[in-house]
Amino acid sequence: MPELPEVEIVKEGLRKVIKPGVTIEKIQFRRKDLRSPLPTRLKNRIIHQKILDIQRRAKYILFDFENVVMISHLGMTGTWRVVAMDQQLGLHDHVVLTLSNGKVLAYNDPRRFGVFDIIPKPGFSADKRFCHLGPEPFSETFDVEYFWQRSRKKVTAIKTFIMDQRFVVGVGNIYASEALYRAGVSPLLTAGNINREQITLLIGAIQQVLKQSIDAGGSSISDYRGVDEVSGSFQDKFLVYGRAGEPCHKCSRAIRAKVISGRSTFWCVNCQKTSRKKITEQKNYGHTRKNLSSTSGT
DNA sequence: AAATGAACCTGTTTGC
DNA sequence: TGCAAACAGGTTCATT
């Protein structure tokens, strides 16, 4: 479910409920594990301790304590919500926090692909879930030169490449298709073949689509909701995702769908090119058009 | 080493 | 209508 914008919205929602200095009075694990075991033995490291801040790194929400960091990853179906006074806990409410301000927060996750853990600070930066993460997409580090260097010699599809959290964090399956469409780059382009102009467009498109989605409260498809139960609206702004067969908003040709590296991918064959070079060749050498189009294979 | 596909789960949608 | 298959926002592990 949640890519960077949705995680950002959930993090902000949690910040509104958990002001600095609030403590967790009680923590309840209603099963022993999610994707990985729940940190039963480390519970006492956060009980009655002040939450200093709540931040986001990649698709993880970080609860900062004096000596530990409590982390939450929403996987595909994870949600946090404030449990109403008279509300019963549900089947998939796996983690329940009772706060010193009287509020109760529940982490719900039907598929249990999420992560909830407590990491002592001395080992945080070396933690295997964080040490290999790439730069944040809005950071200075994520620039054309970085993209160029990292992508050289890569044989994988550009769509798969930008979803690799070791390269850049936060881009998931929906925003990968959306960013590539906005940049006019085919998801099937070999990552190592992307040129500087396309990189510039793609970085801009990734940043733009993520920002616009955050501003819209994220995308609410299926079960995603913010902490306050309010839905985001960016799903209404999807230009290609989930629109197989429907007309491209630019050229009216049918949006194509294909599974790439196991993930559904949507794009416009006409507006998104596999090679900048080929477009130029088509313009300059029209008489070879037939030959080129037979190998362009978008 | 890098790249691909399977696996981890449950719930919902799609198709026969 | 009913049931089975397909599919879903992510990450990690095994295999090639």
Side-chain angles (χ1 to χ4, degrees), chain A residues 245-268:
Chain A
E246 293 174 37
C248 168
H249 291 305
K250 292 181 200 163
C251 76
S252 299
R253 286 183 58 174
I255 297 298
R256 178 154 170 207
K258 179 186 169 73
V259 174
I260 299 175
S261 296
R263 312 304 298 275
S264 295
T265 307
F266 303 85
W267 80 107
C268 174

Side-chain angles (χ1 to χ4, degrees), chain A residues 148 152 189 191 193-200 275-277:
Chain A
W148 174 264
R152 291 314 88 187
L189 171 67
N193 288 348
I194 194 168
N195 64 34
R196 281 194 155 87
E197 183 188 352
Q198 290 172 311
I199 288 173
T200 304
S275 163
R276 176 65 58 183
K277 200 174 163 189

Side-chain angles (χ1 to χ4, degrees), chain A residues 1-6 59 75-76 158-165 169-182 187 209-210 219 221 238 240-242 257-267:
Chain A
M1 168 227 312
E3 303 182 33
L4 185 149
E6 291 74 33
K59 297 171 190 169
M76 291 276 247
I158 189 67
K159 194 253 191 173
T160 307
F161 184 69
I162 62 173
M163 287 175 65
D164 186 340
Q165 306 296 296
V169 302
V171 180
N173 198 43
I174 292 177
Y175 298 107
S177 282
E178 292 296 318
L180 285 163
Y181 175 79
R182 286 161 171 77
V209 76
L210 294 177
S219 305
I221 67 175
F238 290 169
V240 287
Y241 187 84
K258 179 186 169 73
V259 174
I260 299 175
S261 296
R263 312 304 298 275
S264 295
T265 307
F266 303 85
W267 80 107

Side-chain angles (χ1 to χ4, degrees), chain A residues 124-140:
Chain A
F124 181 78
S125 57
D127 188 283
K128 65 182 191 306
R129 289 159 293 198
F130 293 91
C131 66
H132 292 125
L133 289 176
E136 289 288 325
F138 298 111
S139 69
E140 301 270 318

Side-chain angles (χ1 to χ4, degrees), chain A residues 96-293:
Chain A
V96 182
L97 309 179
T98 304
L99 305 176
S100 57
N101 62 14
K103 291 185 173 152
V104 176
L105 283 169
Y107 175 72
N108 185 285
D109 189 355
R111 288 177 77 180
R112 305 201 300 275
F113 287 172
V115 171
F116 183 90
D117 206 358
I118 297 166
I119 307 173
K121 274 191 180 173
F124 181 78
S125 57
D127 188 283
K128 65 182 191 306
R129 289 159 293 198
F130 293 91
C131 66
H132 292 125
L133 289 176
E136 289 288 325
F138 298 111
S139 69
E140 301 270 318
T141 311
F142 185 54
D143 63 10
V144 175
E145 198 53 34
Y146 170 79
F147 199 133
W148 174 264
Q149 293 298 341
R150 287 292 301 262
S151 59
R152 291 314 88 187
K153 308 267 172 86
K154 297 290 181 189
V155 172
T156 195
I158 189 67
K159 194 253 191 173
T160 307
F161 184 69
I162 62 173
M163 287 175 65
D164 186 340
Q165 306 296 296
R166 293 169 304 181
F167 167 60
V168 65
V169 302
V171 180
N173 198 43
I174 292 177
Y175 298 107
S177 282
E178 292 296 318
L180 285 163
Y181 175 79
R182 286 161 171 77
V185 175
S186 167
L188 292 171
L189 171 67
T190 300
N193 288 348
I194 194 168
N195 64 34
R196 281 194 155 87
E197 183 188 352
Q198 290 172 311
I199 288 173
T200 304
L201 290 170
L202 189 48
I203 289 173
I206 288 170
Q207 293 175 338
Q208 183 193 54
V209 76
L210 294 177
K211 173 151 196 334
Q212 287 179 354
S213 181
I214 292 168
D215 290 345
S219 305
S220 299
I221 67 175
S222 183
D223 46 13
Y224 168 79
R225 296 290 182 282
V227 174
D228 52 9
E229 310 269 319
V230 174
S231 304
S233 64
F234 196 74
Q235 67 281 2
D236 301 332
K237 304 278 184 27
F238 290 169
L239 299 181
V240 287
Y241 187 84
R243 297 191 63 242
E246 293 174 37
C248 168
H249 291 305
K250 292 181 200 163
C251 76
S252 299
R253 286 183 58 174
I255 297 298
R256 178 154 170 207
K258 179 186 169 73
V259 174
I260 299 175
S261 296
R263 312 304 298 275
S264 295
T265 307
F266 303 85
W267 80 107
C268 174
V269 173
N270 188 44
C271 298
Q272 296 173 255
K273 301 304 180 184
T274 52
S275 163
R276 176 65 58 183
K277 200 174 163 189
K278 276 173 188 159
I279 296 169
T280 307
E281 284 174 359
Q282 280 178 10
K283 280 179 185 168
N284 295 346
Y285 307 103
H287 59 282
T288 62
R289 199 158 195 276
K290 186 183 175 188
N291 186 37
L292 286 166
S293 61

